[in-house]
């Protein structure tokens, strides 16, 4: 065992001092490092990224919300509202504030009607919104639903019932195919608009005026900065830029004339279009059957949609714009004018109608509607009695090429350019058209029947009405308009919207035009006129032309009998007209599907529409 030397000191001051210095240095370095780190962090937070964190903090406290504008109203030409905004409530959710979304939807469904369609639409809509934005769930809550939700409001964090203006169409199906309707915004709509402008908008025009004039009716969105607390509740509005409401529109449609046309059609599927030949303004446009546009505003139920589809006559189809019909004899005034203006016949030229017309070297007869024929007739008599033979002979003499080029000036075979979506162009046949469509040559017999508006000819009621307007106003073919004026929201200025002139048809001899119009006058007022019944007791002189369009082709030797043929195979009844004869203020085209004879069915409808317009035209 070793013993400690007795001469060794018990305390080594030098060693302890050395240890102390070492520890002090380490401690100092540690403090220095920590202080440096703290200062660096402070510098990073308070100097380098000061602005970033200030902005983030401000963003958490201040939120920017888009304020949707109020949609413009729509009136008829006499100031009667036909599309209005009514106060309503919608239920909407902020997803990031709702804990269990599906459980919340289930709980809400016990208070208000929420079906699978509402849920599906809600989930689709979520994709267009940020998590902190409100997503609509149900529109147009009724009073009972509002009361139940208000009582249970405390149970639903992030759910609110907010007021909004809901579109309403007081005339329902009467104006559906003109006004169209608004519906909930979807992805396809957003592909065609400024997304920022529509961030707070829930509805957009889907059809008709609501769609084609969407940019005017919608207005411009506003913005507001709001201060919120930690749970997002709005504490104060810091800044607000008011939205600009959409402009109001005034239609050229007269609701009373529209109603008269609607009621005149009765249960008959068909269309009526009336145009003011002086300026191209559409006075009435009816397509029947139709549907209630209010069903579509907040999303139509599947059962309601299927019920519309199941109705006979395809209510969704706009016959006035998109319907394609053989014009039949309503084309004769235009063919006759072409023959006169192109010098094919003189005004006094007469053709003998024996009851049948035959092309040279062909055995097939082309019949007149009157057995035994009409005898010798000129253009006026041919129009008055609708003599087929006269127009067979004129068409063959003129040739399909010249006839096509002249009739094209009246807009046949092309869209009119009306300010509504969905218009079709129809068909004005020619050699080139047939070669391109069927890769077949043109045959002489096709020229014969083209002369009476049959064969490949296809027109819409709108085209017919617009062509008649051009015929009676001396050749001015308008791009018709249903919107008459716009009243801008930011001032009291009213902007008149005039129909542009699409084309001015050259007049070779004004006497030829008068001769054709005289023939149409005789249709209603002549002793042999095919529509003379509607001229009885008329307070104004009406001119017109009857027509029938075949639905099926008769076999050789087969006779058409309207009384015995199946209803679905009856001819379409047509009538075009204008009035008053000396100073036309309305041009009308009527198509009554499977109506039979144009003189008995379509002509009285046109008389009703003319009376409804002229009897009140003097009103302010």
């Amino acid at each position: 065992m070793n013993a400690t030397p007795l001469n060794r000191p018990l305390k080594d001051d030098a060693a302890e001092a050395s240890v102390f210095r070492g520890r002090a240095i380490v401690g100092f370095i540690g403090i220095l490092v920590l202080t440096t780190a703290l200062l660096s962090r402070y510098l990073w937070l308070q100097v380098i990224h000061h602005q970033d964190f200030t902005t983030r903090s401000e963003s958490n406290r201040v939120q920017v919300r888009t304020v949707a504008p109020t949609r413009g109203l729509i009136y008829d030409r006499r100031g009667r509202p036909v599309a209005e905004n009514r106060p309503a409530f919608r239920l909407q959710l902020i997803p990031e504030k709702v804990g269990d979304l599906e459980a919340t939807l289930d709980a809400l469904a016990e208070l208000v009607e929420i079906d699978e369609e509402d849920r599906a639409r809600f989930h689709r809509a979520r994709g267009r919104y940020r998590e902190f934005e409100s997503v609509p769930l149900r529109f147009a809550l009724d009073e009972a639903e509002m009361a139940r939700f208000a009582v249970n409001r405390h149970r639903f964090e992030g759910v609110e019932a907010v007021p909004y203006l809901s579109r309403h169409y007081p005339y329902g199906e009467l104006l559906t195919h003109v006004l169209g309707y608004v519906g909930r915004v979807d992805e396809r709509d957003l592909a065609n608009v400024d997304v920022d402008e529509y961030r707070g908008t829930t509805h957009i025009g889907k059809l008709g005026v609501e769609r084609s004039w969407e940019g005017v009716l919608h207005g411009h969105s506003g913005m507001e900065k709001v201060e919120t607390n930690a749970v997002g509740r709005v504490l104060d509005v810091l800044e607000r830029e008011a939205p600009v409401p959409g402009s109001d529109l005034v239609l050229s449609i007269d609701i009373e004339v529209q109603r008269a046309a609607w009621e005149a059609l009765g249960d008959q599927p068909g269309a009526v279009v009336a145009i003011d030949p002086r300026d191209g303004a559409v006075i009435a446009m009816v397509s029947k059957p139709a549907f209630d546009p209010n069903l579509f505003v907040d999303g139509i139920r599947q059962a309601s949609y299927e019920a519309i589809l199941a109705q006979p006559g395809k209510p969704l189809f706009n016959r006035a714009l998109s319907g394609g019909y053989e014009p039949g004899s309503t084309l004769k005034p235009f063919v006759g004018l072409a023959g006169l203006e192109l010098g094919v016949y003189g005004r006094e030229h007469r053709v003998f109608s024996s009851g049948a017309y035959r092309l040279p070297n062909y055995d097939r007869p082309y019949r007149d509607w009157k057995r035994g024929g009409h005898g010798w007739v000129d253009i006026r008599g041919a129009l008055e009695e609708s003599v087929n033979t006269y127009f067979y002979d004129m068409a063959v003499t003129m040739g399909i090429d010249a006839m096509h080029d002249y009739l094209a000036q009246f807009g046949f075979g092309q869209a009119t350019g009306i300010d509504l979506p969905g218009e079709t162009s129809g068909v004005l046949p020619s050699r080139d058209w047939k070669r391109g469509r069927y890769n077949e040559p043109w045959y002489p017999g096709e020229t014969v029947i083209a002369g009476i508006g049959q064969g490949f000819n296809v027109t819409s009621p709108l085209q017919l009405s617009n062509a008649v307007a051009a015929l009676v106003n001396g050749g001015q073919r308008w791009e018709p308009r249903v919107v008459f004026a716009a009243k801008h929201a930011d001032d009291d200025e009213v902007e008149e919207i005039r129909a542009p002139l699409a084309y001015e048809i050259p007049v070779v001899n004004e006497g030829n035009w008068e001769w054709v119009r005289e023939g149409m006058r005789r249709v209603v007022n002549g002793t042999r006129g095919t529509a003379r019944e509607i001229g009885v007791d008329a307070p104004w002189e009406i001119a017109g032309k009857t027509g029938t369009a075949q639905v099926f082709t008769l076999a050789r030797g087969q006779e058409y009998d309207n009384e015995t043929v199946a209803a679905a195979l009856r001819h379409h009844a047509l009538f075009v007209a204008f009035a008053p004869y000396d100073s036309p203020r309305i041009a009308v085209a009527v198509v009554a599907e499977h109506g039979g004879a144009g003189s008995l069915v379509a002509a009285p409808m046109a008389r009703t529409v003319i009376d409804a317009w002229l009897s009140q035209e003097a009103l302010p």
Side-chain angles (χ1 to χ4, degrees):
M1 178 176 179
N2 296 327
T4 301
L6 296 175
N7 60 347
R8 183 178 178 180
L10 295 176
K11 182 177 181 182
D12 188 346
D13 293 336
E16 290 181 356
S18 176
V19 171
F20 175 77
R21 285 196 298 273
R23 290 176 178 174
I25 292 171
V26 171
F28 177 76
I29 293 173
I31 292 171
L32 184 63
V33 169
L34 292 174
T35 303
T36 302
L38 187 61
L39 290 174
S40 298
R41 183 63 177 171
Y42 180 82
L43 183 67
W44 190 81
L45 290 173
Q46 297 297 326
V47 178
I48 298 176
H49 290 280
H50 171 77
Q51 189 59 45
D52 292 344
F53 287 106
T54 300
T55 303
R56 289 188 189 185
S57 176
E58 193 71 8
S59 298
N60 289 333
R61 185 180 68 88
V62 179
Q63 293 188 7
V64 179
R65 304 196 307 193
T66 303
V67 182
T70 302
R71 193 172 183 82
L73 306 179
I74 305 176
Y75 302 88
D76 87 332
R77 70 159 53 218
R78 302 193 192 283
R80 293 166 285 214
V82 296
E84 55 192 18
N85 299 325
R86 290 185 172 180
F89 283 88
R90 67 170 178 258
L91 202 62
Q92 59 187 35
L93 288 75
I94 302 176
E96 74 170 10
K97 294 183 178 178
V98 176
D100 187 334
L101 190 58
E102 294 303 323
T104 301
L105 293 178
D106 291 340
L108 285 171
E110 296 175 359
L111 303 176
V112 301
E113 183 181 351
I114 298 173
D115 59 20
E116 292 304 318
E117 293 177 43
D118 294 319
R119 287 185 179 233
R121 277 195 288 257
F122 170 77
H123 288 301
R124 286 197 299 271
R126 283 188 63 191
R128 303 196 306 271
Y129 294 85
R130 290 167 287 193
E131 284 296 294
F132 57 83
E133 291 180 322
S134 295
V135 183
L137 172 64
R138 248 295 309 279
F139 288 87
L141 301 178
D142 60 32
E143 292 183 2
E145 289 174 322
M146 276 297 300
R148 288 195 294 270
F149 176 74
V151 171
N152 294 274
R153 170 69 181 81
H154 63 281
R155 296 168 47 198
F156 299 99
E157 182 68 27
V159 183
E160 55 186 354
V162 298
Y164 73 105
L165 293 174
S166 177
R167 203 62 153 176
H168 180 73
Y169 304 101
Y171 292 96
E173 59 186 4
L174 188 61
L175 278 169
T176 297
H177 289 298
V178 176
L179 288 176
Y181 55 83
V182 299
R184 296 168 67 167
V185 178
D186 58 29
E187 295 296 337
R188 287 177 297 180
D189 300 321
L190 292 176
N192 300 311
V193 298
D194 183 342
V195 176
D196 290 336
E197 278 284 352
Y198 280 78
R199 190 166 295 282
T201 301
T202 57
H203 289 72
I204 192 171
K206 298 284 188 179
L207 204 64
V209 170
E210 294 277 25
R211 176 180 167 186
S212 58
W213 289 84
E214 170 65 27
V216 176
L217 289 166
H218 179 261
H220 297 286
S221 295
M223 174 274 296
E224 63 181 14
K225 290 182 179 178
V226 296
E227 183 180 15
T228 59
N229 61 14
V231 296
R233 188 179 299 279
V234 175
L235 302 177
D236 193 13
V237 177
L238 304 176
E239 182 180 340
R240 191 171 197 275
E241 179 182 324
V244 178
S247 297
D248 296 340
L249 295 179
V250 179
L251 303 183
S252 56
I253 299 287
D254 186 306
I255 196 66
E256 292 307 322
V257 183
Q258 183 84 358
R259 191 194 307 279
W262 176 270
E263 293 176 352
L265 274 169
D267 296 329
Q268 191 85 47
V272 178
V273 179
I275 292 177
D276 190 331
R278 297 169 296 181
D279 57 11
V282 177
I283 302 167
M285 178 182 287
V286 168
S287 176
K288 205 169 186 178
F291 56 93
D292 186 354
N294 293 300
L295 294 173
F296 286 81
V297 171
D298 291 320
I300 188 170
R301 302 288 173 189
Q302 186 65 29
S304 300
Y305 188 65
E306 290 176 355
I308 292 175
L309 293 179
Q311 291 179 26
K314 300 179 180 178
L316 296 175
F317 181 57
N318 188 341
R319 289 165 165 77
L321 287 179
S322 308
Y325 305 91
E326 281 187 359
S329 294
T330 61
L331 196 68
K332 289 175 179 174
F334 304 97
V335 175
L337 181 61
L340 298 181
E341 288 284 84
L342 296 177
V344 177
Y345 288 165
R347 293 198 290 267
E348 304 293 345
H349 181 85
R350 298 198 301 168
V351 172
F352 184 75
S353 164
S354 63
Y357 174 84
R358 283 182 170 80
L359 285 167
N361 304 319
Y362 285 84
D363 292 335
R364 176 187 171 181
Y366 297 89
R367 297 177 179 173
D368 252 315
W369 63 268
K370 182 179 180 181
R371 188 180 295 275
H374 303 264
W376 289 99
V377 292
D378 64 3
I379 179 67
R380 295 173 300 180
L383 288 170
E384 179 180 359
E385 295 188 68
S386 198
V387 180
N388 287 349
T389 297
Y390 183 94
F391 295 98
Y392 289 151
D393 192 65
M394 175 179 273
V396 172
T397 306
M398 183 166 30
I400 187 62
D401 297 326
M403 186 164 63
H404 168 272
D405 292 348
Y406 192 83
L407 296 189
Q409 298 180 99
F410 283 91
F412 292 108
Q414 53 195 291
T416 65
I418 191 172
D419 54 337
L420 290 175
E423 184 184 8
T424 56
S425 60
V427 176
L428 180 61
S430 66
R431 296 179 197 276
D432 292 340
W433 172 83
K434 189 182 179 189
R435 178 69 67 186
R437 178 70 175 80
Y438 297 106
N439 192 28
E440 292 180 359
W442 186 267
Y443 298 108
E446 292 166 341
T447 301
V448 176
I449 58 177
I452 60 168
Q454 295 183 1
F456 297 114
N457 282 295
V458 175
T459 63
S460 70
L462 173 63
Q463 283 179 315
L464 267 180
S465 179
N466 203 41
V468 172
L471 178 64
V472 303
N473 69 18
Q476 293 183 317
R477 176 161 63 85
W478 305 103
E479 286 185 13
R481 289 288 181 270
V482 296
V483 173
F484 187 72
K487 181 182 179 302
H488 300 295
D490 51 354
D491 54 40
D492 293 330
E493 179 185 355
V494 176
E495 177 189 1
E496 186 176 350
I497 300 168
R498 301 185 65 84
L501 186 62
Y503 184 73
E504 189 144 9
I505 303 166
V507 178
V508 176
N509 189 325
E510 176 58 32
N512 293 332
W513 293 65
E514 293 175 357
W515 221 248
V516 170
R517 291 192 288 261
E518 167 61 17
M520 295 177 71
R521 190 193 68 81
R522 293 186 181 187
V523 170
V524 178
N525 301 279
T527 56
R528 297 181 179 181
T530 53
R532 56 186 180 276
E533 286 82 5
I534 70 165
V536 176
D537 299 330
W540 20 74
E541 199 168 29
I542 301 171
K545 184 68 194 77
T546 54
T548 54
Q550 291 183 351
V551 174
F552 70 103
T553 302
L554 293 169
R556 190 165 186 173
Q558 183 183 6
E559 294 287 343
Y560 174 84
D561 186 347
N562 193 62
E563 299 301 322
T564 59
V565 72
L569 296 179
R570 289 174 185 164
H571 295 336
H572 297 326
L574 292 92
F575 192 70
V576 296
F578 63 92
Y581 176 74
D582 290 332
S583 57
R585 298 197 291 275
I586 183 171
V588 185
V590 177
V591 176
E593 290 186 0
H594 308 295
S599 59
L600 299 178
V601 177
M605 295 177 182
R607 164 74 190 274
T608 300
V609 175
I610 290 171
D611 288 351
W613 172 243
L614 295 182
S615 62
Q616 64 166 344
E617 197 204 5
L619 297 176

